[in-house]
Amino acid sequence: MSGPKYVTGYMPRWVSRLQTVTHPTTTISLQNKKSTTVAYIDFSRAFDTVSHVKLFARLYSYGIRGDVLQWIQNFLANRTHQTRVGWSLSAVIDLLSGVVQGSGLGPVLFLIFIDDLAEILEKYGIITKFFADDVKLYLEITSAHDCILLQKALDVVETRARDWQLQLSIEKCNVLHIGSCLDNCRYHIGQSAIQSTAQCKDLGIVIANDLSPQQHINEITAKAHRRANCILRCFISRENDLLVRAFVTYVRPILEYNSIVWSPSLIRDIEQVEKVQRRFTKRLFGMRCLSYDERLQRLGLLRLELRRLHLDLIFCYKIVFGLVSVNFNDFFEYSFSTTTRGHAYKLFKPRCTSGVRQTFFTERVVNPWNSLPPTVSFCARQHYAIARICYRGIARPSVCPSVTRVDQSKTIEVRIMQFHHQVAP
């Protein structure tokens, strides 16, 4: 089974950010003044419509036979369904399709059921990504022939869904043109046209046709402000420790979810995200007259910008040392220069001519990663190594000076040099 190569949902060592970040060729296309068309396909009630007979045939073709196959058949057999409305119950009926949601085996069976679709689409040169019942098709558009290939791929998806008794939710399907729009084709699934949009939500991240994170930042900061205000209104206790714990639990995850994908580079966007924490800490008891950095020091918090840098370095570490199921060569290449000091895992940074490419994860993390001092120990145990990366290679929060306003063209790796590179004892 080719599972992890194509499917990123419910698989070991795969996380949701990989589904969005594992297409660096999109930013390369923008740098080369080309465009990429992304088709978002959604299956309707996918887990409930998996045919048991066809699922067992698929399992048999993958070599799952004998007692294991019999056990799975017994697991799905003799299941019934009954609907309750008020105090009334419907008649009991047998379930002839669907995998058990909420179980560990159910999602895996669904992934096996749809796995061969990506292998078929690969023959058309289509990059395919799955996450549960969501499918994304990527194709760089250079000519009208590429538009025809993408339409053929959509026809394959529609045909396979019909043959395997899966339903497509056409109203939730859309097409996003990234970059200079060379693609004016109208795509369709069956007889229904797919809507073309300037932005769409991809696993909780708003992806715009120019890959700008501004719209996503506007949405998450507005939501975070509302939730922070709700905490201050609803909690009777005014204890700072309790309120900070509520902020860290309910607000900060909104501002950090998949930040590897959308991490801002403009001062305007950075300050907009930071303002949520800045405003919340100022409204705590005894904090109004203190500066932002003094408040953070007393409350034991880090700047959100510095936390995003930590997340970048941690994810880079996982890719370099193979802790996530992605191909290292799709993201980085090692620097073979032997004339510089530092650790032994330095990465090569290619020349970028596009702002979007320059601020993409694979480019912006190279300088901070290469700047880690040789005192950082890349040990085999992940938790120890990550802790040393964050707290020995980068400064502690207590010595973090305020981030001054600099030219907007400077990116985060330039500003982190303001932090003292103190080695923890």
Side-chain angles (χ1 to χ4, degrees):
M1 178 182 171
S2 56
K5 180 180 179 181
Y6 304 107
V7 186
T8 61
Y10 309 105
M11 298 298 294
R13 300 165 65 194
W14 281 91
V15 288
S16 61
R17 68 177 68 95
L18 294 176
Q19 177 68 357
T20 312
V21 79
T22 49
H23 52 94
T25 54
T26 302
T27 55
I28 295 177
S29 297
L30 283 178
Q31 180 173 263
N32 296 333
K33 308 299 182 182
K34 298 179 181 179
S35 66
T36 301
T37 297
V38 186
Y40 291 85
I41 310 297
D42 183 80
F43 288 102
S44 176
R45 300 174 57 201
F47 283 22
D48 297 329
T49 57
V50 174
S51 170
H52 287 174
V53 176
K54 295 183 178 180
L55 173 62
F56 298 149
R58 175 61 55 82
L59 293 172
Y60 187 88
S61 67
Y62 279 126
I64 302 175
R65 304 172 185 177
D67 293 340
V68 176
L69 180 59
Q70 184 63 45
W71 184 89
I72 296 175
Q73 291 174 340
N74 294 337
F75 176 71
L76 297 176
N78 299 323
R79 291 187 175 270
T80 58
H81 173 74
Q82 191 176 31
T83 302
R84 175 178 175 177
V85 179
W87 296 103
S88 302
L89 294 174
S90 67
V92 178
I93 60 173
D94 295 329
L95 288 178
L96 303 178
S97 64
V99 294
V100 182
Q101 299 190 45
S103 66
L105 184 61
V108 177
L109 293 176
F110 178 76
L111 298 185
I112 296 174
F113 190 71
I114 64 173
D115 182 68
D116 72 322
L117 178 60
E119 296 181 3
I120 297 174
L121 295 176
E122 193 175 36
K123 299 176 182 178
Y124 293 89
I126 306 294
I127 301 175
T128 309
K129 296 295 178 184
F130 288 84
F131 191 90
D133 57 348
D134 295 324
V135 183
K136 290 189 297 185
L137 311 180
Y138 298 90
L139 185 63
E140 185 180 276
I141 304 298
T142 58
S143 64
H145 177 68
D146 295 325
C147 300
I148 297 175
L149 284 180
L150 183 56
Q151 181 57 58
K152 288 182 178 179
L154 294 174
D155 294 338
V156 169
V157 172
E158 193 270 336
T159 302
R160 297 291 295 180
R162 185 176 60 252
D163 293 342
W164 290 87
Q165 296 176 284
L166 294 174
Q167 300 177 4
L168 294 174
S169 181
I170 304 298
E171 61 275 6
K172 294 183 180 179
C173 300
N174 51 64
V175 173
L176 179 67
H177 304 289
I178 300 176
S180 56
C181 188
L182 302 175
D183 187 357
N184 297 318
C185 300
R186 295 285 296 176
Y187 297 99
H188 60 272
I189 296 179
Q191 301 299 322
S192 303
I194 305 178
Q195 178 184 3
S196 179
T197 179
Q199 63 184 31
C200 65
K201 185 162 288 191
D202 185 354
L203 295 181
I205 307 297
V206 178
I207 305 296
N209 54 7
D210 59 353
L211 296 184
S212 169
Q214 184 174 2
Q215 181 60 33
H216 178 71
I217 291 174
N218 292 339
E219 289 192 10
I220 63 173
T221 52
K223 184 178 179 180
H225 276 301
R226 290 194 299 268
R227 190 165 294 185
N229 293 336
C230 184
I231 289 174
L232 294 173
R233 287 196 309 265
C234 297
F235 277 67
I236 298 176
S237 173
R238 293 290 96 185
E239 281 191 41
N240 288 347
D241 290 343
L242 178 63
L243 295 176
V244 168
R245 185 179 300 180
F247 178 85
V248 170
T249 304
Y250 298 110
V251 180
R252 199 166 67 183
I254 300 175
L255 302 172
E256 294 182 346
Y257 170 72
N258 262 354
S259 63
I260 292 168
V261 178
W262 58 266
S263 185
S265 60
L266 299 180
I267 294 294
R268 174 194 62 199
D269 296 334
I270 294 172
E271 291 298 326
Q272 183 177 349
V273 177
E274 201 74 45
K275 186 179 179 180
V276 179
Q277 183 170 265
R278 186 191 304 271
R279 183 169 177 263
F280 180 85
T281 56
K282 192 172 184 179
R283 297 169 69 184
L284 298 179
F285 178 76
M287 298 292 170
R288 180 170 294 275
C289 298
L290 301 178
S291 67
Y292 181 45
D293 290 293
E294 290 174 337
R295 297 198 299 269
L296 295 182
Q297 183 175 352
R298 290 198 180 186
L299 298 173
L301 297 174
L302 286 170
R303 282 179 173 267
L304 297 178
E305 180 182 10
L306 182 57
R307 284 183 57 84
R308 289 194 299 272
L309 174 61
H310 287 178
L311 294 174
D312 281 353
L313 291 172
I314 291 170
F315 193 56
C316 180
Y317 173 89
K318 291 180 179 180
I319 293 178
V320 169
F321 290 95
L323 300 178
V324 288
S325 295
V326 296
N327 187 0
F328 171 86
N329 296 323
D330 290 341
F331 290 83
F332 306 110
E333 59 179 297
Y334 286 113
S335 175
F336 295 102
S337 175
T338 59
T339 60
T340 58
R341 300 177 182 177
H343 57 83
Y345 302 97
K346 288 195 172 184
L347 303 175
F348 173 74
K349 186 172 184 178
R351 180 174 177 270
C352 296
T353 59
S354 168
V356 173
R357 179 64 184 174
Q358 186 177 8
T359 57
F360 186 62
F361 165 73
T362 57
E363 303 299 323
R364 70 171 184 265
V365 78
V366 172
N367 283 356
W369 175 265
N370 291 343
S371 299
L372 292 175
T375 52
V376 173
S377 175
F378 295 95
C379 57
R381 299 182 65 179
Q382 174 189 354
H383 297 90
Y384 291 142
I386 289 175
R388 288 171 179 169
I389 286 176
C390 290
Y391 296 106
R392 297 190 68 176
I394 304 298
R396 290 177 178 270
S398 59
V399 296
C400 172
S402 59
V403 179
T404 58
R405 287 189 172 274
V406 295
D407 184 70
Q408 291 188 2
S409 63
K410 292 186 178 181
T411 52
I412 187 170
E413 60 262 28
V414 176
R415 290 193 301 277
I416 66 167
M417 298 308 297
Q418 298 176 1
F419 301 113
H420 298 183
H421 287 268
Q422 291 278 17
V423 178

